[in-house]
Amino acid sequence: MKINTPRNIRIKSEINITPFTDVVLVLLIIFMITTPMIIQSSITVNIPKSSHGTEGKNQQFEVVIKGEKEIYFNNKSTDLPTLKNEMTEHARDMPDIPLVIRADRDVKYYMIVDMMDLAKESGVAKISLNVEKP
């Protein structure tokens, strides 16, 4: 039995990258969702508990106070003069985004007040304190 096939049929020798692109996009979305959670939890602070705390917004910039000399701004270690400059830039560029102060429960109260004063001097309009629900 003879099968008639035209002689000028060509076999496609191209690589189909559509499934590969789908996998890469799914991985990109997964990394975009999980990265902020990983970065946020990289600096561990024993924050105080409050039964009346509320959920914060997703867009915020954060100051973490771990001790007398350990201060972080958006997960980067910093000192007070640099911190004031960075807060001034953020307050000028994004005035509606709140500053969240996340301090260890063993940090002295005056340090939190000093940080709030520094934020107000820098032009930050909204300041909140991070607490943990019991």
Side-chain angles (χ1 to χ4, degrees), residues 64-100:
V64 178
I65 307 171
K66 282 189 75 167
E68 293 287 326
K69 305 242 181 199
E70 277 188 271
I71 299 172
Y72 299 88
F73 183 71
N74 287 342
N75 296 317
K76 290 184 249 173
S77 181
T78 186
D79 57 350
L80 287 176
T82 308
L83 177 65
K84 184 172 182 178
N85 292 336
E86 290 177 354
M87 279 199 287
T88 303
E89 288 178 22
H90 276 276
R92 183 182 61 237
D93 296 341
M94 300 173 276
D96 294 334
I97 296 179
L99 169 70
V100 176

Side-chain angles (χ1 to χ4, degrees), residues 75-127:
N75 296 317
K76 290 184 249 173
S77 181
T78 186
D79 57 350
L80 287 176
T82 308
L83 177 65
K84 184 172 182 178
N85 292 336
E86 290 177 354
M87 279 199 287
T88 303
E89 288 178 22
H90 276 276
R92 183 182 61 237
D93 296 341
M94 300 173 276
D96 294 334
I97 296 179
L99 169 70
V100 176
I101 298 175
R102 190 165 62 122
D104 195 72
R105 73 174 65 202
D106 298 329
V107 169
K108 306 255 189 241
Y109 185 68
Y110 77 88
M111 289 189 68
I112 297 171
V113 173
D114 288 347
M115 192 60 59
M116 293 172 78
D117 286 341
L118 184 68
K120 284 294 183 183
E121 288 173 13
S122 300
V124 175
K126 299 176 184 175
I127 302 172

Side-chain angles (χ1 to χ4, degrees), residues 13-85:
S13 62
E14 298 172 355
I15 297 175
N16 186 1
I17 64 166
T18 304
F20 176 72
T21 306
D22 291 342
V23 170
V24 169
L25 288 175
V26 167
L27 288 174
L28 178 67
I29 291 170
I30 289 171
F31 286 130
M32 286 172 55
I33 292 171
T34 59
T35 300
M37 290 181 238
I38 292 169
I39 290 174
Q40 183 177 7
S41 64
S42 64
I43 302 170
T44 55
V45 177
N46 189 12
I47 58 178
K49 294 181 181 353
S50 171
S51 59
H52 300 289
T54 59
E55 292 290 323
K57 297 179 181 178
N58 289 339
Q59 268 194 328
Q60 61 195 22
F61 53 102
E62 179 178 64
V63 172
V64 178
I65 307 171
K66 282 189 75 167
E68 293 287 326
K69 305 242 181 199
E70 277 188 271
I71 299 172
Y72 299 88
F73 183 71
N74 287 342
N75 296 317
K76 290 184 249 173
S77 181
T78 186
D79 57 350
L80 287 176
T82 308
L83 177 65
K84 184 172 182 178
N85 292 336

